Amino acid sequence: TFDTDGTTILAADTLVLAYFMANTPDGALVDWEMEAIEETKPDKLKERYPLLEMQRLSSLAFDEEVKNLVVQDMPLFMGAIYIITGFLALTFGSLTRSQNRCLLATVTIPQVILSLMFATGVQGLFSAKISTLNFLIGFLLAGVGVDDMIVIEEFYKRHATADGKGDLPNAMREAGLAVFLTSLTAVAAFSVGAFVDLPAVRSFCVCSGLAFGWNFVLNVTFFPAFLLLDERRCGCFPCCDSREKERERTAAAVDGGEKEPVAEEAAQPA
């Protein structure tokens, strides 16, 4: 309700006030926004103006809220990573001393961290806005990265040679196309989201595209290297046994079983 001149508000049910300001190099706007957020907290406004209900929205307040949510969900994120690592250990092989892949399954953790570091580093290099939403990309990376790892490891087992060793070049030749298409579709989808007008969503999509692209590079270089290292374990840990030693024992048992009948046949003519 306005007065007779139409310039003064006498009463109102809802009032919307919007302020658009440019930040200064000394960061004065950030300090002002932090002070405004502190002064407009619900408990303080309730004491001064009991009948006033206020809802505020600012870019800094949004970032702070997302940051708090990310910090609160960090135990959930780490728990999800541990569950995925255990799932990989069960999927890659049995839990026997010589066939378990527990060490290989832990590669998930450094791959997710390296992909996030690469994406965030590229954004920082070009002075792009980095949103706190970007830390949620770890959930997506863990899921897609695990899928690609399972594909590569499965093709590696399918191309096992006569001595039980896998043929990594042929396995990567066949699995590479599936892994490439999975990563390409993810990068393409997030690249489209990079044209959204919302800064937080744009930063999230750009970071996701970069992270998934680098995750593909790690899946075809970093993970196969660890796959071979795990295959050549020397059995230096008490809970591990060397696959090479197991193959030698199996081969010795087979050779011994083949030599016994020959000895018996040789003894009969005598």
Side-chain angles (χ1 to χ4, degrees):
T1 303
F2 293 87
D3 61 359
T4 55
D5 297 335
T7 58
T8 304
I9 299 177
L10 301 179
D13 295 330
T14 303
L15 181 63
V16 179
L17 299 176
Y19 298 92
F20 299 93
M21 293 179 249
N23 196 10
T24 56
D26 59 354
L29 179 59
V30 176
D31 297 336
W32 179 88
E33 190 172 353
M34 289 294 295
E35 186 176 352
I37 293 174
E38 183 67 24
E39 292 297 327
T40 55
K41 285 185 176 180
D43 53 347
K44 289 188 176 182
L45 289 177
K46 199 68 176 178
E47 295 177 359
R48 298 179 183 177
Y49 311 100
L51 302 179
L52 178 64
E53 295 183 2
M54 178 178 177
Q55 293 181 350
R56 49 180 169 74
L57 178 63
S58 63
S59 58
L60 189 59
F62 178 78
D63 290 341
E64 287 294 326
E65 186 67 22
V66 173
K67 180 181 178 180
N68 294 333
L69 291 176
V70 170
V71 173
Q72 294 174 5
D73 292 339
M74 191 59 64
L76 179 63
F77 172 71
M78 296 306 300
I81 292 294
Y82 292 143
I83 292 175
I84 291 174
T85 302
F87 172 76
L88 278 179
L90 295 175
T91 305
F92 284 163
S94 61
L95 296 181
T96 60
R97 289 171 52 184
S98 59
Q99 296 298 328
N100 74 83
R101 297 280 193 175
C102 297
L103 296 178
L104 181 63
T106 58
V107 178
T108 308
I109 300 175
Q111 276 207 194
V112 171
I113 296 176
L114 289 174
S115 298
L116 282 176
M117 290 177 60
F118 172 80
T120 307
V122 172
Q123 283 188 298
L125 179 63
F126 292 97
S127 301
K129 179 179 177 60
I130 299 177
S131 173
T132 50
L133 286 173
N134 296 359
F135 296 101
L136 300 177
I137 301 173
F139 289 100
L140 302 177
L141 283 174
V144 176
V146 165
D147 179 66
D148 294 338
M149 290 179 185
I150 294 175
V151 171
I152 294 174
E153 202 271 341
E154 182 63 27
F155 275 97
Y156 180 76
K157 289 192 296 187
R158 290 183 183 180
H159 287 78
T161 55
D163 58 355
K165 296 182 180 180
D167 187 1
L168 186 60
N170 288 329
M172 292 301 300
R173 189 175 293 111
E174 295 188 14
L177 180 60
V179 174
F180 173 75
L181 291 177
T182 303
S183 303
L184 179 63
T185 53
V187 172
F190 285 113
S191 297
V192 174
F195 297 96
V196 178
D197 293 333
L198 296 176
V201 177
R202 187 191 307 123
S203 175
F204 175 81
C205 291
V206 171
C207 188
S208 298
L210 293 171
F212 274 94
W214 190 248
N215 186 68
F216 165 74
V217 176
L218 295 177
N219 274 326
V220 297
T221 56
F222 187 76
F223 177 71
F226 271 86
L227 179 61
L228 288 182
L229 288 176
D230 185 72
E231 187 71 21
R232 299 169 183 172
R233 279 186 301 166
C234 62
C236 57
F237 296 101
C239 60
C240 299
D241 192 11
S242 173
R243 294 189 179 91
E244 294 291 341
K245 293 180 181 179
E246 184 187 34
R247 293 192 188 102
E248 292 176 1
R249 290 195 298 266
T250 304
V254 172
D255 294 340
E258 293 177 351
K259 292 178 181 179
E260 289 179 1
V262 176
E264 292 179 358
E265 292 177 0
Q268 287 178 359

